[in-house]
Amino acid sequence: MKILVPINDIKQVDDYISCGAEEFYLGFYEEEWVKRFGEYGDLNRLTGYGKKANQYNLKEVAALIKMIKDKGGSAFITFNSSMYSKEQLSYIDRYMSQLSKYKVDGIIVSSPELIELCMKHNLFCVM
């Protein structure tokens, strides 16, 4: 069994690894998304909490993914709102393109429409 833990603070990664965690998940916060869709247009279920719940933007998540992988862990990103509009899916498509380049281990989704986007970008999808 692998231990999966959320990451809200980069400082916690080493502690979690020393306690046996191997898999990590996190969401990210993007000002562009909030400006376009409002603070309650969820990118993930915690968008409304802003940076309190998701401290890192997509570029910062890239460094965090690399750090986790360098330490032997796996990193998963959440897109777990229950639904997205076509316009939101277009934005998420761009995010997934970047996450594929960052070599994220997988995407955690709640909306079936995201499965196709994961497949398009050769990303492992967890629903």
Side-chain angles (χ1 to χ4, degrees):
M1 173 174 75
K2 292 184 179 181
I3 299 171
L4 173 68
V5 296
I7 293 295
N8 293 323
D9 185 342
I10 197 168
K11 297 172 190 167
Q12 298 169 331
V13 173
D14 286 331
D15 290 338
Y16 284 139
I17 289 173
S18 69
C19 291
E22 299 175 42
E23 297 181 335
F24 301 87
Y25 71 92
L26 64 148
F28 62 91
Y29 182 84
E30 284 290 314
E31 292 289 339
E32 175 186 336
W33 178 274
V34 176
K35 286 178 187 174
R36 184 72 179 187
F37 303 111
E39 67 181 88
Y40 298 105
D42 279 343
L43 181 56
N44 58 58
R45 289 187 182 163
L46 299 175
T47 303
Y49 292 98
K51 293 180 182 179
K52 291 178 188 174
N54 296 306
Q55 296 181 39
Y56 306 103
N57 64 34
L58 188 59
K59 288 184 181 182
E60 293 166 327
V61 163
L64 191 51
I65 290 168
K66 182 178 180 340
M67 184 190 78
I68 289 168
K69 293 175 81 63
D70 286 349
K71 294 175 182 288
S74 299
F76 295 84
I77 303 299
T78 59
F79 289 97
N80 56 356
S81 180
S82 59
M83 60 181 271
Y84 297 98
S85 69
K86 287 184 181 184
E87 187 178 2
Q88 288 171 327
L89 290 170
S90 177
Y91 266 69
I92 292 171
D93 185 46
R94 294 186 300 177
Y95 293 144
M96 290 214 187
S97 176
Q98 289 299 310
L99 290 166
S100 179
K101 291 175 186 173
Y102 301 155
K103 305 215 183 298
V104 68
D105 292 290
I107 307 293
I108 299 171
V109 304
S110 293
S111 177
E113 297 87 4
L114 294 180
I115 296 170
E116 287 184 37
L117 289 178
C118 287
M119 291 172 59
K120 175 182 174 183
H121 296 285
N122 297 314
L123 294 166
F124 178 70
C125 183
V126 179
M127 184 165 207

